[in-house]
Amino acid sequence: MKIIRGKNEMRAWSVERRCAGDSIGFVPTMGALHDGHASLMRASVKENRVTVASIFVNPTQFAPHEDFNAYPRTFEDDCRIAEDMGVTAIYAPEKDSLYPEGYATYVNVEGLPDGLCGRSRPIFFRGVATVVTKLFNTVLPDRAYFGMKDAQQCAVIRRMTRDLDFGIEIIELPTVREPDGLAMSSRNRYLTPEERGQALAISRGLFKAESQMKAGERSAESILKTVRNEMAGLNIDYVELVDADTIQPLERVEGRALLAAAAWVGKARLIDNIQYEVPTS
Ligand code: AMP
């Protein structure tokens, strides 16, 4: 597995692969890899001739009070996982190379970032859209893989890719969970054993609500109440039912609905969601 640090070297490598007729799959990550990231890599390796995974803790998506400095950095372990998954190359650029002195250009997707996570993290999606644009321009992928755990991020990336004519296929894969239901996250490393137990209330609440929806419940109020009751012991950021594409609040479950929750547990801000598509017949 090749490790590439320079953006010019990365682009030259990708151009060469494309000229050779190889399809390029791309998995952007911030490292501290777990089985959720591995599932994206596995899919990309299967569906493309070569796979690039990036490891970059992106400073522009963190507000000054957030955990940019504390974010886990486990580069050697990450390389081992990526290599085991069959990744062809790791792209791990330096912060100053992506954001040199005087950097001034940002990608703003309008509307979609306003609700859910955007409310408590107002610069987050601008940072994500900007870095993903920069990575797309360097890695030149045919397909890019994202996790549905970050459902609002998926909506933003989908829209950005369409609006800016990237011509890249965006593939979204299901959330990988611990056996007890906790959504895997690099930030789970912040949890003490006691906090980890408390954090289970999030997935438990979402699963209860999912059963309700499967049984025919359509009232957002009743569904949200179920999740909020289950999460009552946590410091809730939001629990919301929205349309999965527009991220607009729903009063009733319809179309492809996204039931999303976020809460602070100890030092960690955790997010999770389930998506439910109302059967058409
Ligand atoms: P991150 O390193 O947290 O920026 O995540 C990199 C990619 O992995 C994003 O597309 C995430 O949505 C995805 N991802 C993170 N956690 C999970 C998970 N538990 N299951 C599936 N994908 C995930």
Side-chain angles (χ1 to χ4, degrees):
M1 189 180 67
K2 204 170 161 60
I3 295 174
I4 300 174
R5 297 269 179 193
K7 56 187 175 188
N8 295 333
E9 191 193 342
M10 183 68 244
R11 193 185 288 103
W13 185 89
S14 290
V15 167
E16 205 174 295
R17 301 318 292 237
R18 290 189 75 120
C19 288
D22 293 343
S23 59
I24 302 177
F26 178 42
V27 182
T29 84
M30 298 208 300
L33 301 183
H34 49 65
D35 284 354
H37 300 110
S39 74
L40 306 182
M41 293 174 182
R42 202 177 295 118
S44 175
V45 167
K46 208 162 141 197
E47 294 166 10
N48 300 279
R49 188 86 175 87
V50 295
T51 288
V52 178
S54 63
I55 297 178
F56 181 65
V57 184
N58 175 39
T60 61
Q61 69 194 61
F62 289 81
H65 64 278
E66 291 180 338
D67 57 343
F68 175 75
N69 288 326
Y71 199 85
R73 288 159 171 89
T74 57
F75 190 69
E76 274 157 31
D77 289 348
D78 293 348
C79 287
R80 222 166 292 130
I81 293 170
E83 186 150 34
D84 284 351
M85 290 301 116
V87 167
T88 323
I90 291 283
Y91 176 41
E94 298 296 340
K95 176 164 77 87
D96 295 346
S97 133
L98 259 54
Y99 299 108
E101 187 68 27
Y103 187 87
T105 307
Y106 294 91
V107 178
N108 268 313
V109 177
E110 293 182 4
L112 292 178
D114 297 346
L116 305 185
C117 289
R119 232 172 280 123
S120 60
R121 306 190 74 191
I123 64 160
F124 176 72
F125 290 108
R126 181 187 80 153
V128 168
T130 301
V131 79
V132 172
T133 295
K134 289 165 71 60
L135 294 168
F136 279 179
N137 282 336
T138 312
V139 175
L140 310 174
D142 296 276
R143 299 185 188 86
Y145 295 78
F146 294 87
M148 284 158 74
K149 186 183 83 87
D150 299 275
Q152 189 178 13
Q153 172 169 287
C154 285
V156 168
I157 300 292
R158 264 198 316 268
R159 185 69 63 85
M160 176 190 94
T161 303
R162 187 201 71 177
D163 289 354
L164 296 182
D165 309 319
F166 276 110
I168 295 167
E169 190 182 346
I170 302 300
I171 293 162
E172 297 166 28
L173 294 174
T175 301
V176 176
R177 298 178 179 280
E178 303 285 355
D180 58 10
L182 183 69
M184 288 192 185
S185 164
S186 304
R187 290 190 168 95
N188 289 350
R189 295 173 194 237
Y190 298 153
L191 301 171
T192 63
E194 194 193 343
E195 288 164 351
R196 199 196 166 290
Q198 294 163 352
L200 284 175
I202 306 173
S203 52
R204 215 168 41 229
L206 293 171
F207 293 151
K208 264 197 181 177
E210 185 179 38
S211 306
Q212 255 184 307
M213 288 192 270
K214 283 183 177 160
E217 179 62 77
R218 294 292 173 260
S219 149
E221 197 183 327
S222 150
I223 284 155
L224 295 174
K225 199 165 150 197
T226 300
V227 186
R228 288 194 184 115
N229 282 348
E230 203 64 43
M231 289 173 62
L234 304 182
N235 182 3
I236 295 177
D237 179 2
Y238 64 77
V239 179
E240 285 193 49
L241 185 76
V242 299
D243 178 272
D245 286 313
T246 64
I247 315 294
Q248 289 300 306
L250 294 174
E251 281 183 12
R252 293 186 59 73
V253 185
E254 58 190 23
R256 196 158 67 95
L258 169 67
L259 178 61
W264 286 275
V265 185
K267 283 202 224 67
R269 180 178 175 282
L270 303 178
I271 63 172
D272 197 356
N273 70 77
I274 52 129
Q275 295 191 34
Y276 179 75
E277 185 143 12
V278 176
T280 42
S281 59

